Amino acid sequence: MPETGNQPLYAQLAGTLRHLIDSGQLAPGSLLPSEPAIGNDHHVGHTTVRRALRQLAREGLIETRRGAPARVRPRQSRAPVTLAAGDRLTARMPTRPEAKRLRIPPGVPLLEIHHADGRMTALRADQHTIAD
């Protein structure tokens, strides 16, 4: 792994894997190598690999399931959302009940639209984009 300053090894490994995802070398929907293979390829232990994968899952870049290989999250098309005059948009991480109700995977923020009339709409950030 390239030296990246004083970052812990897991953060360096997460950065390397993030680059592979962002560059398309690990395509959306593709399986990541096994944890032992990642460790061998990058000369790090299993704890470092698991912490790096956990970080990428929190960022919403990969999906993990117990007993299954990690997978690069597929990129989804996003529905446009138009804000009206007086509407306010807030982004935050969802609570566990919100994540369950809205089926929001780990690492994906929640968008809250606070409408001028007092209503609030909650949306998954990975499925919506703010229209111009």
Side-chain angles (χ1 to χ4, degrees), residues 91-116:
R92 64 174 176 81
M93 296 310 291
T95 63
R96 284 183 190 218
E98 289 169 330
K100 186 174 181 178
R101 180 173 45 85
L102 296 171
R103 298 178 187 260
I104 301 175
V108 175
L110 173 75
L111 298 176
E112 287 183 344
I113 301 173
H114 299 270
H115 300 278

Side-chain angles (χ1 to χ4, degrees), residues 22-52:
D22 290 344
S23 70
Q25 292 177 57
L26 287 172
S30 67
L31 296 177
L32 271 66
S34 68
E35 289 181 13
I38 292 171
N40 288 335
D41 289 348
H42 298 280
H43 310 289
V44 296
H46 74 277
T47 301
T48 299
V49 173
R50 286 187 179 168
R51 288 184 73 187

Side-chain angles (χ1 to χ4, degrees), residues 14-104:
T16 298
L17 295 172
R18 188 181 303 106
H19 172 74
L20 294 173
I21 293 168
D22 290 344
S23 70
Q25 292 177 57
L26 287 172
S30 67
L31 296 177
L32 271 66
S34 68
E35 289 181 13
I38 292 171
N40 288 335
D41 289 348
H42 298 280
H43 310 289
V44 296
H46 74 277
T47 301
T48 299
V49 173
R50 286 187 179 168
R51 288 184 73 187
L53 294 179
R54 202 169 338 158
Q55 176 65 37
L56 295 174
R58 278 194 299 265
E59 293 174 15
L61 293 175
I62 66 170
E63 300 170 329
T64 58
R65 283 194 347 231
R66 188 179 186 112
R71 176 183 304 272
V72 178
R73 284 195 65 225
R75 291 191 177 102
Q76 300 178 351
S77 61
R78 296 176 181 222
V81 174
T82 303
L83 299 177
D87 288 352
R88 247 179 348 105
L89 176 70
T90 303
R92 64 174 176 81
M93 296 310 291
T95 63
R96 284 183 190 218
E98 289 169 330
K100 186 174 181 178
R101 180 173 45 85
L102 296 171
R103 298 178 187 260
I104 301 175

